Amino acid sequence: MAADTRPKLPPPKLPPLRDVIAAHGLQASKALGQNFLLDEQLLDRIAAIPGPLEDQPAFEVGPGPGGLTRAILRAGARLVAVERDRRCLPALSELSEAFPGQFRVISGDAMAVDARAEAGEGAHIIANLPYNVGTALLIGWLSADWSPLPWWSSLTLMFQMEVAERIVAKPNGDHYGRLAVLSQWRSDARIAMRVHRSAFTPPPKVMSAVVHITPRPAPEGVQLKHLERLTAAAFGQRRKMLRQSLKGLPGALEALEAVGIDPQRRAETVSVEEFVETARVLGRL
């Protein structure tokens, strides 16, 4: 097929987001965990975090009035978005018309939508996640089949600062726990941007941050189910020594001994690599 040599058209001129919100009578819903971002420059910076998006598949959860959506579309992505709040659909429909063939909206609950089937292989997931389902969605994406990589190319996600810190945490800190291990054992996670509460409408009570996660090939010989059981037991009683917290998990103490981890240590001192090695041994027992 011959390359498309037609000149790229400039992005369509869109009305200010505040005007869109006013025209459609949209108010952020506390019940749906909504907080709208209206700063177009900030939104463009978030959309730039994954890298070049020109003609790349992308997936967004909870676009609301379409602030981040605009930025992703301006970057050239082929975007699929899932919106539960039907009040926002007319505003999003206007974006579909402004970016013909580039944007599709699904009316539904992101927790029930098959993102892989809808967005396609290699999609970049970019979202200002609703606070009430953000962690659950993240865990679902991190638990995807890895063969040798997951179906998504990257995750660029807005969280409350506390959740972001838990995702990127290192051992020996209060934020380090199961979410850090799950996020880091076969992917790289970093805080790409901190966002002040005043950037949102309405302002939330806490600060936020954008986390960027890129997958790596999974360590060989380790199954997610063994790592999940191990970390659930270890961090379920995080202030106790491992010999106490892991005694109810068959084979766990034997695996610790085989790896050479002192059972008097606490879970928060065990590195991601040590959890991975222990889970590898546990899977063989």
Side-chain angles (χ1 to χ4, degrees):
M1 181 181 295
D4 187 350
T5 58
R6 292 174 296 180
K8 293 287 185 181
L9 296 175
K13 185 170 179 59
L14 301 170
L17 278 165
R18 291 189 185 278
D19 292 354
V20 172
I21 290 171
H24 293 281
L26 298 177
Q27 297 290 333
S29 167
K30 186 175 181 180
L32 295 177
Q34 293 175 331
N35 296 91
F36 299 153
L37 276 172
L38 306 183
D39 185 329
E40 300 262 0
Q41 290 185 334
L42 174 61
L43 292 164
D44 284 336
R45 286 170 56 203
I46 295 172
I49 289 171
L53 291 177
E54 184 71 35
D55 205 33
Q56 295 292 306
F59 183 74
E60 184 184 11
V61 172
L68 182 56
T69 311
R70 294 173 171 214
I72 298 169
L73 292 171
R74 279 195 295 263
R78 293 179 280 108
L79 178 62
V80 175
V82 180
E83 180 54 67
R84 181 180 175 185
D85 187 352
R86 299 185 65 86
R87 300 175 307 148
C88 296
L89 298 182
L92 296 172
S93 178
E94 292 172 0
L95 284 180
S96 295
E97 295 172 3
F99 293 87
Q102 193 181 336
F103 178 44
R104 180 165 60 92
V105 183
I106 299 170
S107 176
D109 185 345
M111 295 294 291
V113 168
D114 186 339
R116 182 176 191 169
E118 297 292 352
E121 298 293 321
H124 296 276
I125 302 177
I126 311 168
N128 172 19
L129 290 175
Y131 285 163
N132 52 2
V133 295
T135 304
L137 286 168
L138 172 64
I139 290 173
W141 295 323
L142 291 173
S143 301
D145 292 333
W146 237 261
S147 55
L149 295 171
W151 65 270
W152 46 268
S153 290
S154 70
L155 306 175
T156 304
L157 307 171
M158 180 87 72
F159 292 99
Q160 293 178 340
M161 180 64 77
E162 180 183 357
V163 177
E165 290 174 335
R166 286 168 53 204
I167 292 168
V168 305
K170 301 303 179 186
N172 297 300
D174 290 339
H175 295 293
Y176 183 66
R178 294 184 66 194
L179 190 56
V181 177
L182 183 59
S183 300
Q184 298 174 41
W185 78 283
R186 54 184 180 181
S187 56
D188 297 311
R190 66 183 178 92
I191 292 180
M193 182 189 304
R194 288 171 169 79
V195 183
H196 195 273
R197 54 186 297 275
S198 62
F200 295 89
T201 301
K205 295 180 179 179
V206 296
M207 299 285 282
S208 299
V210 179
V211 174
H212 185 56
I213 299 175
T214 52
R216 291 182 278 105
E220 294 184 3
V222 183
Q223 293 185 354
L224 176 61
K225 64 180 181 181
H226 296 304
L227 188 63
E228 286 183 323
R229 291 170 185 166
L230 181 65
T231 54
F235 288 105
Q237 304 177 73
R238 62 182 296 138
R239 297 305 178 190
K240 292 187 176 181
M241 295 180 183
L242 292 171
R243 68 184 182 192
Q244 285 295 115
S245 59
L246 294 181
K247 67 181 181 180
L249 180 62
L253 295 178
E254 292 85 347
L256 278 185
E257 182 179 1
V259 175
I261 295 175
D262 185 348
Q264 295 190 76
R265 290 170 62 183
R266 292 177 172 80
E268 64 201 41
T269 73
V270 180
S271 70
V272 173
E273 293 74 20
E274 287 175 317
F275 273 119
V276 166
E277 185 59 31
T278 306
R280 180 183 285 116
V281 174
L282 185 60
R284 297 176 186 154
L285 298 177

